[in-house]
Amino acid sequence: MNGAEVTFSYLEELNEIQRAAVETTEGPVMVIAGPGSGKTRVLTYRIAHLINIGAAPWQILALTFTNKAAREMKERIEKVVGPKAQKVWAGTFHSLFARILRVEAHHLGYPNDFTIYDTDDTKSVIKEVLKQMKLDTKVYSPGAVRSRISSAKSNLITPKAYAVNEELMTYDRMNRMPLMHMIYDKYVKKCLRAGAMDFDDLLLQMFRLLYQNPNNVKAKYQAQFRYLLVDEFQDTNFLQYEIMRQFVNYEDSPRNICIVGDDAQSIYSFRGATIENILQFETDFPDVQTFKLERNYRSTQHIVDAANGVISYNQRQIKKKIWTDRMGQNKIKVIKTLTDTEEGKRVADMIIEQKNRHSIENTEIAILYRTNAQSRVFEEYLRRFNIPYRIYGGLSFYQRKEIKDLMAYMRLTVNPKDDEAFKRVINYPKRGFGAKSLETLVTFAEDNDISIFESIPHVEMRGKAKTVLVDFMRLIANFRTKAEKANAYETAMYISKKSGITELLKGDGSMEGMSRLENINALLDGMQEFVEDDELEPGEEIADKSLAKYLQNIALITDMDEDKDNTDVVTLMSVHAAKGLEFKSVFVVGLEENLFPSYMSLSDPNQLDEERRLFYVAITRAAEYLTLSYANSRYQYGQMRFNDPSRFIEEIPPENVDSMIPIKSKSEGGGLGTPKVLGSFKPLKQPMPKINAKDFVANDPSEIKEGMKVMHMKFGEGEVLSIDERQVATIHFDQVPESPQKRIMLQYAKLQILK
């Protein structure tokens, strides 16, 4: 094989547009890469091609968002050009800029061996500043303060500029944080004095380095990096783009910048990403050559058409038409259920059906949701059906710290002898009970063969430790008293508030803190659902809604050994986490107004557009089978809430859907249209009752009598056959042919008298 064949054979693997994007090496280039269009191949082959036509590897700067992406990029390049691929400057923004700053930081007043502060370090410094300023951490939450400082840095706003920015100052005053600018200033000075940069500084100081040293440092790196490539450009923030411009916008510059991305997959504004960067790129670089990768190699025609249909509702976008030659016979399925619990069961049912009917492996299936807190109900049904699963990039719902913390309080309430629960919460939230004091208790308990809780009255404690233990024993005693009188949900609500967990999480204004609070609320909502479930289990004489019973049920559900070696698992993840991945079968769940799209986006057209892009990302993860599901009702903050189906379902072209759902056309301009039968989707095993959930009004249980016709939220119309002395009603439901007779505890029943 001669040299020419070795050098250019890889070009034969590309389609016409991909090849043009790879071979156009000079000047600004924009590659708009639709989902499944071979973006990574184009990017890596472009770098390999640059090297093969004479560029030195160290003259190429390739910026990515993850170390994994950079690693894979180098591996692919190496397959084409050999070991010299390792000399390409390929890595994340933070890692490559840290590498440069290690050489040049002295120009900024930092030592070249500066420390990099992680999130915990940053919060520690902020707490120190708050302490020195004698500010209340419940108002000035360290998490919220860190988030504000990060946002300011990402927008090139210094402490001095912050203090004169009326919009920022007004926002802070509205949030009872008027001294935020002073905290920011003191934080920056502390970091500089310590010779430390946080993660945001790695970008901010990189910009300062280039901007403030144009004739030496900037000129040096402009000369070195002749070619700049940026992956996932739609995810860049204001500061990242300004740094790139410093590299390529200078006199006599060849402006060899190549950006690769897709405006339709811009979904990270909450992290500071701005879609403006990619939408305005052609304005900033008028001589740009644009290549649109519109062929989708991943998904079938129905899925691609659905994606095109949905994204067409966004006004601000770079127009493109994704296409595929993978026809496929499977239209998009839509599951409509009355409750989110039933949604979990139906999704698990369909997974089993797909596995049996189409021989799909677990690893080829994904369940995608808008928020991580939604995983609970799907996890529970997958466990019940013995379907192995894994949470991608995170923990199972009941393994999340905040859930284990609250559950530990509940376990200790039911059983004060639970040593593991005691050790977990004795100093959470922090009470000033140290490790040595706990060790004293544990040692005494072991020596005397009693529980830690039982050892408390017998161990001599002094000062703060003694006060903490007395207060803690009183707290648990109050919880036990509450549990004796109240149901599981009421007790858990009481525990979450009185323990201080809810207040602690509410005080953390960061995204992580909000997510933890969402998980707590999801747990409580599940407990309210447990309490209000009025159907008696077979053989059950009376409904037990106690905290002890709830914990028993959860223990049985979660007692599934997690086989770490099992790789054939269904994947559960948020849509944000799914970007860049693909599966043979995808379930997008919780598709309701106020959930997906999020209620926070409904008043802002730009945020609503981003929610639509998020849905676009979700459905284009599917290769062959796409199932969408929604529930008419779900518990939120302990109350049953009723939501309409997501507008995104209605925006899918009807010819691509196999179900019975209300459809609207663009010309109708909103509202649900007339239901149309589309195909022949397999009916529910238990047909949905014909009931408008919003109009449902339950009667007082004492009004229910034998012989009455009643309406049940879950089972539809029924006739009360009998009511025994325990006030358990036997009701016949015609719409539940498999098991029409249900035993329902009237104390918890929600029945509407029809006649």
Side-chain angles (χ1 to χ4, degrees):
M1 184 178 291
N2 62 43
E5 289 175 328
V6 172
T7 302
F8 299 109
S9 61
Y10 54 86
L11 295 175
E12 302 302 320
E13 300 176 26
L14 304 171
N15 65 36
E16 184 180 347
I17 300 297
Q18 290 174 333
R19 181 163 181 165
V22 166
E23 293 185 300
T24 306
T25 59
E26 306 304 305
V29 170
M30 178 164 67
V31 180
I32 301 300
S37 62
K39 168 184 74 72
T40 305
R41 174 174 288 187
V42 168
L43 188 61
T44 53
Y45 281 13
R46 180 183 171 85
I47 295 172
H49 191 64
L50 284 169
I51 294 171
N52 279 336
I53 62 174
W58 53 87
Q59 293 180 315
I60 300 170
L61 178 63
L63 298 168
T64 68
F65 276 87
T66 65
N67 289 314
K68 179 184 177 186
R71 207 164 40 245
E72 290 178 352
M73 184 186 297
K74 282 192 174 182
E75 289 171 358
R76 290 196 184 197
I77 298 169
E78 190 168 4
K79 288 179 180 178
V80 180
V81 302
K84 53 188 171 183
Q86 295 304 317
K87 295 182 180 179
V88 173
W89 278 60
T92 64
F93 288 84
H94 292 86
S95 66
L96 293 184
F97 294 164
R99 183 175 167 186
I100 293 173
L101 287 166
R102 286 289 182 211
V103 178
E104 313 289 354
H106 60 278
H107 291 284
L108 301 167
Y110 286 87
N112 285 353
D113 58 350
F114 60 87
T115 301
I116 298 177
Y117 279 170
D118 62 17
T119 301
D120 288 339
D121 296 324
T122 298
K123 284 188 176 180
S124 179
V125 176
I126 289 171
K127 287 175 183 176
E128 191 176 329
V129 171
L130 296 174
K131 185 178 180 181
Q132 291 173 352
M133 294 178 67
K134 298 180 180 178
L135 295 174
D136 186 352
T137 54
K138 291 179 181 177
V139 177
Y140 289 90
S141 155
V145 170
R146 174 181 166 271
S147 180
R148 292 292 284 164
I149 292 174
S150 175
S151 177
K153 288 183 177 182
S154 296
N155 286 283
L156 276 178
I157 300 172
T158 63
K160 189 178 290 187
Y162 195 114
V164 296
N165 186 309
E166 190 53 38
E167 184 179 344
L168 293 175
M169 297 295 286
T170 300
Y171 180 89
D172 288 340
R173 285 192 292 270
M174 288 174 58
N175 286 276
R176 300 189 303 134
M177 299 170 68
L179 301 180
M180 184 64 232
H181 63 292
M182 294 177 62
I183 299 170
Y184 182 16
D185 184 56
K186 289 180 182 296
Y187 170 79
V188 168
K189 287 174 179 175
K190 270 188 174 292
C191 289
L192 181 59
R193 191 162 60 244
M197 296 186 195
D198 61 25
F199 286 130
D200 295 304
D201 279 325
L202 296 176
L203 302 182
L204 179 61
Q205 302 306 332
M206 184 68 205
F207 174 81
R208 281 188 60 213
L209 178 69
L210 299 176
Y211 184 76
Q212 294 177 359
N213 300 276
N215 299 321
N216 47 7
V217 180
K218 182 159 77 168
K220 170 184 173 181
Y221 289 101
Q222 285 174 339
Q224 176 177 340
F225 299 127
R226 289 184 54 210
Y227 297 94
L228 174 62
L229 299 95
V230 187
D231 191 17
E232 303 287 7
F233 186 73
Q234 76 282 346
D235 295 335
T236 56
N237 63 26
F238 175 77
L239 178 53
Q240 287 165 328
Y241 188 29
E242 288 305 308
I243 295 171
M244 293 176 224
R245 286 160 60 91
Q246 290 295 312
F247 277 116
V248 297
N249 266 355
Y250 60 97
E251 197 172 336
D252 299 326
S253 164
R255 308 208 320 160
N256 294 331
I257 179 173
C258 173
I259 66 163
V260 181
D262 181 7
D263 60 296
Q265 298 185 64
S266 178
I267 59 173
Y268 293 120
S269 66
F270 67 94
R271 293 182 188 167
T274 172
I275 194 173
E276 304 299 330
N277 289 350
I278 195 167
L279 293 180
Q280 294 183 0
F281 192 79
E282 289 179 305
T283 302
D284 294 337
F285 294 87
D287 55 335
V288 66
Q289 298 185 70
T290 300
F291 301 92
K292 297 179 181 179
L293 308 184
E294 297 173 302
R295 181 177 180 181
N296 182 297
Y297 290 91
R298 174 190 302 152
S299 306
T300 60
Q301 188 70 54
H302 287 301
I303 295 170
V304 168
D305 287 349
N308 282 330
V310 168
I311 204 64
S312 69
Y313 282 79
N314 275 11
Q315 297 301 312
R316 300 174 69 236
Q317 59 176 298
I318 297 171
K319 293 292 184 183
K320 57 185 172 298
K321 184 78 171 178
I322 306 302
W323 63 276
T324 183
D325 57 7
R326 298 190 67 227
M327 299 312 294
Q329 300 301 311
N330 304 298
K331 290 188 176 184
I332 297 164
K333 300 283 192 283
V334 177
I335 299 176
K336 170 186 176 181
T337 63
L338 190 62
T339 68
D340 55 337
T341 301
E342 186 177 358
E343 182 186 26
K345 181 178 183 300
R346 290 286 292 121
V347 167
D349 275 337
M350 184 163 280
I351 286 174
I352 291 176
E353 181 182 331
Q354 286 187 352
K355 284 161 57 67
N356 292 338
R357 181 176 293 183
H358 305 295
S359 300
I360 300 177
E361 302 293 327
N362 289 325
T363 190
E364 298 176 306
I365 302 171
I367 299 175
L368 308 183
Y369 32 73
R370 179 63 182 81
T371 66
N372 285 314
Q374 290 172 255
S375 75
R376 178 187 61 83
V377 69
F378 299 100
E379 288 189 62
E380 290 181 6
Y381 276 100
L382 292 175
R383 287 175 185 270
R384 288 176 183 176
F385 288 21
N386 290 318
I387 301 172
Y389 72 89
R390 195 150 295 157
I391 304 291
Y392 180 86
L395 294 170
S396 171
F397 184 83
Y398 291 102
Q399 293 300 315
R400 293 167 192 168
K401 180 185 181 303
E402 59 278 8
I403 298 301
K404 296 188 79 168
D405 290 336
L406 183 52
M407 294 283 283
Y409 270 108
M410 292 189 229
R411 285 164 47 193
L412 201 59
T413 298
V414 170
N415 174 24
K417 293 183 178 183
D418 188 332
D419 284 353
E420 293 307 308
F422 181 95
K423 287 187 284 187
R424 187 174 188 94
V425 299
I426 181 58
N427 199 39
Y428 181 81
K430 288 185 178 179
R431 300 181 173 86
F433 193 80
K436 286 187 177 180
S437 298
L438 178 58
E439 185 180 344
T440 301
L441 282 178
V442 171
T443 300
F444 184 90
E446 289 178 350
D447 290 346
N448 292 274
D449 198 23
I450 57 176
S451 70
I452 300 174
F453 201 88
E454 289 172 313
S455 72
I456 294 175
H458 307 291
V459 178
E460 184 66 30
M461 289 280 177
R462 296 179 182 177
K464 182 72 177 288
K466 181 177 181 179
T467 304
V468 168
L469 284 176
V470 170
D471 290 344
F472 188 72
M473 289 182 71
R474 187 179 296 120
L475 183 71
I476 300 302
N478 288 340
F479 292 168
R480 287 177 63 76
T481 300
K482 182 71 174 179
E484 290 170 2
K485 301 174 182 176
N487 61 43
Y489 172 73
E490 293 165 344
T491 305
M493 280 293 292
Y494 184 79
I495 292 173
S496 69
K497 291 177 181 177
K498 297 297 183 182
S499 66
I501 289 179
T502 301
E503 184 180 6
L504 182 69
L505 295 179
K506 281 182 177 178
D508 185 349
S510 67
M511 293 297 296
E512 294 84 357
M514 291 170 62
S515 179
R516 287 193 285 267
L517 191 58
E518 282 182 351
N519 287 332
I520 290 291
N521 287 329
L523 176 68
L524 294 171
D525 288 339
M527 297 182 76
Q528 178 72 315
E529 188 174 20
F530 161 78
V531 167
E532 295 197 357
D533 184 2
D534 52 13
E535 184 182 3
L536 290 173
E537 296 291 333
E540 193 176 25
E541 294 301 319
I542 189 167
D544 183 355
K545 304 298 182 180
S546 68
L547 181 62
K549 177 65 173 177
Y550 173 80
L551 291 176
Q552 175 186 312
N553 287 0
I554 293 302
L556 293 173
I557 290 172
T558 58
D559 186 30
M560 176 187 286
D561 291 331
E562 292 193 21
D563 185 356
K564 301 294 183 183
D565 297 324
N566 185 7
T567 56
D568 186 28
V569 292
V570 172
T571 301
L572 277 69
M573 70 178 90
S574 69
V575 182
H576 282 102
K579 188 166 171 290
L581 304 177
E582 61 181 75
F583 301 88
K584 192 170 186 178
S585 173
V586 168
F587 292 80
V588 186
V589 300
L591 280 165
E592 299 133 39
E593 292 289 294
N594 298 309
L595 183 55
F596 199 179
S598 160
Y599 74 93
M600 290 173 28
S601 70
L602 299 182
S603 60
D604 184 340
N606 289 329
Q607 287 191 34
L608 186 57
D609 277 2
E610 177 153 333
E611 290 286 301
R612 187 175 283 108
R613 293 194 294 270
L614 190 60
F615 181 61
Y616 177 87
V617 167
I619 62 180
T620 55
R621 299 311 93 197
E624 291 187 34
Y625 303 93
L626 175 60
T627 307
L628 312 177
S629 71
Y630 67 94
N632 287 135
S633 63
R634 65 178 63 237
Y635 283 94
Q636 290 178 298
Y637 306 108
Q639 300 293 319
M640 178 71 82
R641 302 289 173 91
F642 302 100
N643 296 316
D644 291 324
S646 170
R647 67 191 68 194
F648 301 151
I649 297 177
E650 303 167 7
E651 292 169 357
I652 296 174
E655 60 269 20
N656 302 120
V657 181
D658 181 12
S659 181
M660 182 186 292
I661 57 171
I663 299 294
K664 74 171 184 180
S665 66
K666 289 187 187 180
S667 61
E668 290 174 325
L672 294 175
T674 305
K676 301 175 183 178
V677 178
L678 306 170
S680 54
F681 182 44
K682 181 181 177 183
L684 295 173
K685 293 179 180 177
Q686 296 183 351
M688 295 297 300
K690 297 176 181 178
I691 174 176
N692 186 337
K694 291 183 178 179
D695 297 335
F696 184 88
V697 179
N699 288 85
D700 189 292
S702 64
E703 299 176 24
I704 308 299
K705 308 295 180 186
E706 291 184 10
M708 281 185 170
K709 296 286 187 182
V710 294
M711 175 68 77
H712 188 278
M713 284 286 290
K714 183 176 180 182
F715 304 124
E717 292 186 20
E719 180 180 356
V720 181
L721 301 180
S722 64
I723 302 175
D724 65 20
E725 67 278 3
R726 298 183 308 278
Q727 292 299 292
V728 175
T730 301
I731 306 176
H732 183 93
F733 295 98
D734 290 332
Q735 291 173 281
V736 191
E738 292 180 342
S739 55
Q741 289 194 12
K742 303 288 183 183
R743 295 170 62 244
I744 290 177
M745 195 91 178
L746 291 180
Q747 178 184 353
Y748 303 105
K750 283 186 167 53
L751 296 167
Q752 183 178 22
I753 298 173
L754 299 179
K755 58 181 178 179

